[in-house]
Amino acid sequence: MLLQYDAMTSRGRSSYHESGPVHLTGSGSWKTVTFEMPEAWLGNGENQGADFRIRFYGPKLPVSRVSISVNGLEDVVYPTPNARRQALRDLKMQRATSVAQQALGKWEASTGGVETLQAGLSDESRAFVRPLLDAARASESRLREVSALNETFSDDGKLRSHILAVRDNAELLRNCTFLLEQKVATQDFVRSCGKGKQSWIYFTQPAIDNVSVILPWTLPDASAVNAPIRIQLCRGEFEPYGIGLISSGVVRHVEVRPTNLHGPGGAILEGQHVDVRIMKRWYQAGHYQEVQTGRELVPELLLYDDSLVKADLIHQKNDLGFEGTPKDATTLQPYDLEPLYTKFLWVTVRAPDDAKPGVYRGSIRVVGSGVRDLVVPLQVEVLPFELEENPMIASMYYGHSVGGATGADLERYRRQLVNMREHGLTCPAFQGDRRELALRKELGLNKGPLLTHGGFNIGKYMGRDDYTDAEVAEVKAVVDHFNALAEEFGYDGAYLYAIDEASGEKLEAEVPVFRLLKKLGGGAWAACLSDFEDIAATDLQLPVYCGFPRKELVDKVHAAGHKIMRYASPQGGTEDPWQYRYFYGLVLWELNMDGGCTWTYQHAIGNPWNDFDGDGTYRDFMMTYPGADGPIDTVQWEGYREGNDDLRYMATLEKALVDAASQGKASAVVEGVKQWLADVREVQAFHGENLDAVRARIVANILALRRGFDD
């Protein structure tokens, strides 16, 4: 467990600054823990205006009592309560003055670098830096004014107003100082890359890994500068990569032009199969979690039109270039590259279904007004085998329905379904009608069971097992109806939704209904919490387990003849593509589960384009965002697709292993691959791994098994 508190650190405001952690031993006895809170600001910056919170890793633990003391006050005996209150006011005043002096000192220390920065910029480029300098100087002036007060406040309201003025201006000055320092560092980096001659550079890196968050001031390793892009993929597959652009001056009208790629025997992979979008950074109410944890700049949106969203880095807010629902372009639009900030491009290559296997070579040309072209070499290897279908149930909660949609509304809905299919989501939850099922079948979104929402009132039958003939007939009619729909539209059976996240007595009361459904040829599915293992592990036909079940639980569910999926950890919308790639990809294989189904494709607490208008607890759950012509993709959604592809590669490897063993090929290779897979499953070895490297090893093993050679 640890303490998270609202602080003002040397880097600026940190509403969830951490103290701890404390590791508990499980002795079952009470333990007293003291958390220190250096640089505490306590300006009500956490969820619902809190100043601090206790965070638990693992199960929540009982906390008997929390007491707070202020160093320097507790050991002093004051003659009156008023004298003690005044001492606390004086301490707050001292703290505010100290915060102001720290911010001013940081700014003063950076002025030399800022002067050098300005001297190295053209007049046109200085115009991009001037608002930052103006904001810094204005906040400096106001901060000097309020911090120069030598007044003893005896009124709490006036003291609070003074402290808020110090806080706001200190935050702004610290932020401006930080941004200017990053520009200085970026200027030095660009000069070092080109020995002072290059005005702009590019770097490349994998789009999805477990270490990188590309922000406007992120600088790459020098080895990534001018590096080519190399991609392996199978026919019909999408594969992402990243290009970063950094310029020492403003570059107007930047365009990105993929060339055709030339392959074996004169084969051509046309440039239209290389999609390029801008990875847009904007301010959200958190990062990595579905709950609000404070304002953060995060990479998320993948846009063709850079003007749709702009992040104001100075005042840390979003400026939307639209009202209502945005209409993105269909190809990357020209944009201006701001000096000394990193712009990141998300490149997705698709190999057509009829692409000839082999290596294709071409480039991505980046052009701008008044500068030399950047040419990014692009090598794409189309692998000589077909990917197996994902053997898992690739599902997600989905609350949209086609309803009576026509025209543009129907086309938007259809594009959502196409978007799901292209990202490997082939069995979304269902709460519509026959029209919707027909669309899903047409587009291939019927891979797995029909997971229904609605149409069955389980509460009517809970808590007993003595059903009348009429009640049995009612339930059988519902079961038969959905089973018939499943058969008609090509699903592998149908499941009725039970109570969401039921536990304890409520879950126990559902068990007789689960048994009745099974007797009548049906089944139930629902999100489950940890006590599901003790209550309904052998009765609920398709549990969607919250988190990561133990192997023993998975085996227990399978032994009962049922399937089990996982849910949450994370829920939809946290801006971390690696988490979705692993937690809804290879971890399902490692745990021997049958699929994944998290909440949700799109669900906004308020306006989906404003993460700060919710109830103060949860953030919007957005794997994609609603656009006027269809969904707008995100980095987390691309991570989800890569996870599904990883499962397809693993299924292809397992088939190749069976085929090679049955043909008596390459016994050393067969045994080596078997042992590797067994070892991985035993320890969940892919957690925290470079999943591109894991994919490459799977590919190498597939090719080795197909060749039948000993290594």
Side-chain angles (χ1 to χ4, degrees):
M1 57 186 286
L2 51 79
L3 188 77
Q4 293 181 326
Y5 64 97
D6 193 7
M8 181 71 80
T9 72
S10 59
R11 285 290 303 274
R13 182 77 175 276
S14 176
S15 296
Y16 293 84
H17 203 57
E18 294 185 349
S19 179
V22 173
H23 300 283
L24 305 179
T25 63
S27 66
S29 59
W30 287 109
K31 182 173 184 176
T32 300
V33 173
T34 300
F35 292 106
E36 297 288 341
M37 292 191 285
E39 301 182 300
W41 188 242
L42 306 187
N44 314 126
E46 296 192 351
N47 289 350
Q48 303 175 25
D51 286 317
F52 66 88
R53 67 183 184 183
I54 298 171
R55 181 170 185 178
F56 300 92
Y57 287 92
K60 292 184 178 180
L61 300 165
V63 176
S64 173
R65 184 168 63 96
V66 175
S67 61
I68 306 169
S69 63
V70 181
N71 291 344
L73 290 183
E74 297 302 314
D75 297 330
V76 178
V77 177
Y78 294 93
T80 66
N82 283 337
R84 188 181 186 282
R85 281 194 290 270
Q86 188 59 50
L88 182 56
R89 293 189 192 103
D90 294 343
L91 189 61
K92 290 180 179 179
M93 180 67 175
Q94 292 170 18
R95 171 64 175 145
T97 302
S98 174
V99 166
Q101 293 303 321
Q102 289 174 13
L104 290 167
K106 187 78 172 173
W107 165 248
E108 290 166 357
S110 71
T111 54
V114 171
E115 290 175 1
T116 302
L117 169 70
Q118 290 182 286
L121 296 175
S122 66
D123 290 342
E124 186 181 27
S125 295
R126 286 195 195 101
F128 283 82
V129 179
R130 191 171 299 118
L132 185 52
L133 284 169
D134 290 346
R137 288 165 179 159
S139 61
E140 176 197 15
S141 176
R142 291 191 295 268
L143 194 57
R144 290 191 186 281
E145 181 181 344
V146 295
S147 64
L149 288 177
N150 188 17
E151 179 179 343
T152 298
F153 286 91
S154 57
D155 180 273
D156 287 334
K158 291 182 178 179
L159 175 61
R160 179 172 178 79
S161 296
H162 171 77
I163 289 176
L164 288 175
V166 171
R167 184 193 72 181
D168 293 343
N169 285 287
E171 282 189 58
L172 181 56
L173 184 58
R174 286 177 187 272
N175 184 47
C176 291
T177 303
F178 171 77
L179 294 174
L180 287 165
E181 287 176 339
Q182 300 313 305
K183 283 191 176 291
V184 171
T186 303
Q187 187 179 61
D188 292 342
F189 180 81
V190 174
R191 286 173 174 168
S192 69
C193 289
K195 297 182 179 178
K197 298 179 181 179
Q198 289 179 298
S199 59
W200 67 334
I201 62 172
Y202 80 85
F203 65 90
T204 64
Q205 72 169 57
I208 299 171
D209 61 30
N210 60 332
V211 294
S212 299
V213 177
I214 306 297
L215 295 173
W217 44 83
T218 299
L219 300 177
D221 186 85
S223 63
V225 176
N226 297 330
I229 296 176
R230 293 186 176 91
I231 287 175
Q232 272 188 336
L233 76 173
C234 289
R235 286 182 287 263
E237 185 188 356
F238 298 82
E239 191 64 24
Y241 216 84
I243 300 175
L245 300 176
I246 310 174
S247 173
S248 58
V250 59
V251 181
R252 302 287 184 183
H253 203 78
V254 176
E255 295 186 56
V256 182
R257 303 170 184 169
T259 69
N260 288 344
L261 288 84
H262 298 273
I268 294 177
L269 185 63
E270 295 180 352
Q272 66 183 11
H273 296 296
V274 181
D275 179 77
V276 184
R277 308 186 200 193
I278 290 170
M279 185 183 73
K280 177 63 67 172
R281 288 76 60 106
W282 65 331
Y283 286 97
Q284 293 290 81
H287 193 196
Y288 300 122
Q289 297 184 53
E290 61 265 23
V291 297
Q292 294 190 14
T293 57
R295 185 176 297 268
E296 293 190 54
L297 184 69
V298 299
E300 184 179 21
L301 303 169
L302 299 177
L303 299 176
Y304 292 118
D305 185 349
D306 191 43
S307 67
L308 286 180
V309 177
K310 179 177 178 174
D312 180 347
L313 301 181
I314 298 174
H315 301 99
Q316 299 185 328
K317 64 178 184 176
N318 299 321
D319 294 328
L320 302 182
F322 60 89
E323 294 183 1
T325 302
K327 181 180 177 65
D328 198 10
T330 56
T331 59
L332 185 62
Q333 300 301 291
Y335 62 91
D336 293 338
L337 182 62
E338 183 173 346
L340 303 177
Y341 276 155
T342 300
K343 178 77 79 175
F344 200 72
L345 304 177
W346 193 281
V347 178
T348 304
V349 177
R350 180 184 180 274
D353 294 338
D354 59 354
K356 186 176 181 179
V359 175
Y360 294 75
R361 292 182 174 87
S363 64
I364 298 174
R365 187 174 293 271
V366 186
V367 303
S369 299
V371 293
R372 65 178 181 82
D373 293 356
L374 298 178
V375 180
V376 185
L378 174 60
Q379 175 181 301
V380 175
E381 180 183 4
V382 179
L383 294 166
F385 56 83
E386 303 294 331
L387 281 180
E388 293 294 311
E389 292 294 323
N390 183 0
M392 303 286 180
I393 302 170
S395 186
M396 190 172 288
Y397 287 90
Y398 180 58
H400 299 198
S401 176
V402 66
T406 59
D409 289 338
L410 179 60
E411 182 58 27
R412 275 192 295 271
Y413 182 82
R414 184 184 182 91
R415 288 179 180 177
Q416 280 194 356
L417 298 183
V418 171
N419 180 259
M420 292 180 191
R421 182 192 64 198
E422 291 183 345
H423 286 78
L425 175 55
T426 53
C427 185
F430 167 75
Q431 58 179 16
D433 53 21
R434 296 177 58 85
R435 185 185 183 201
E436 184 171 343
L437 289 174
L439 267 176
R440 292 183 179 208
K441 181 178 181 180
E442 174 193 340
L443 296 172
L445 269 71
N446 57 349
K447 310 297 185 185
L450 180 61
L451 303 177
T452 68
H453 269 298
F456 179 57
N457 180 14
I458 193 172
K460 182 177 179 181
Y461 311 99
M462 285 169 52
R464 55 195 173 87
D465 55 10
D466 51 338
Y467 302 113
T468 66
D469 291 344
E471 288 174 327
V472 172
E474 285 176 348
V475 176
K476 188 174 188 308
V478 175
V479 169
D480 290 348
H481 169 70
F482 284 107
N483 281 346
L485 286 177
E487 182 175 0
E488 178 181 355
F489 291 99
Y491 287 90
D492 182 18
Y495 293 86
L496 310 178
Y497 204 67
I499 297 176
D500 189 64
E501 294 189 357
S503 63
E505 294 179 357
K506 186 178 289 186
L507 180 58
E508 288 179 1
E510 290 184 284
V511 168
V513 191
F514 301 156
R515 294 170 179 165
L516 175 63
L517 289 171
K518 184 175 182 179
K519 181 179 178 181
L520 297 176
W525 75 293
C528 299
L529 305 180
S530 58
D531 64 350
F532 153 79
E533 180 171 1
D534 300 322
I535 299 172
T538 59
D539 290 299
L540 179 57
Q541 287 79 12
L542 184 56
V544 186
Y545 189 86
C546 181
F548 304 89
R550 299 180 307 112
K551 179 181 182 300
E552 292 78 8
L553 172 57
V554 175
D555 292 344
K556 188 176 183 179
V557 171
H558 286 162
H562 301 156
K563 297 181 184 295
I564 179 170
M565 299 194 292
R566 69 169 300 275
Y567 151 77
S569 304
Q571 303 276 33
T574 63
E575 305 86 347
D576 183 356
W578 186 91
Q579 283 197 70
Y580 291 98
R581 179 174 181 178
Y582 178 57
F583 293 141
Y584 288 94
L586 286 173
V587 81
L588 301 177
W589 175 86
E590 290 176 333
L591 294 171
N592 196 30
M593 301 189 76
D594 301 288
C597 180
T598 200
W599 172 273
T600 174
Y601 181 72
Q602 286 180 4
H603 178 78
I605 309 298
N607 178 356
W609 293 95
N610 182 0
D611 209 28
F612 303 94
D613 64 350
D615 60 4
T617 302
Y618 286 104
R619 303 173 54 210
D620 295 334
F621 298 88
M622 311 297 293
M623 294 301 284
T624 66
Y625 284 78
D629 293 331
I632 292 175
D633 291 339
T634 65
V635 297
Q636 57 265 26
W637 189 224
E638 299 305 300
Y640 179 86
R641 170 157 61 193
E642 284 298 286
N644 283 310
D645 285 346
D646 287 339
L647 290 169
R648 295 183 68 191
Y649 274 94
M650 184 61 78
T652 305
L653 174 59
E654 291 185 319
K655 183 177 185 300
L657 185 61
V658 171
D659 291 345
S662 67
Q663 297 170 19
K665 284 184 178 180
S667 60
V669 174
V670 169
E671 293 307 314
V673 173
K674 281 183 178 179
Q675 189 60 53
W676 177 57
L677 296 181
D679 291 345
V680 166
R681 240 181 187 149
E682 182 67 26
V683 298
Q684 286 185 236
F686 295 148
H687 190 278
E689 280 293 305
N690 178 334
L691 295 178
D692 287 334
V694 172
R695 171 89 64 85
R697 182 166 182 179
I698 292 173
V699 168
N701 283 329
I702 292 171
L703 295 175
L705 289 167
R706 286 168 60 89
R707 287 193 302 267
F709 296 141
D710 287 329
D711 283 343

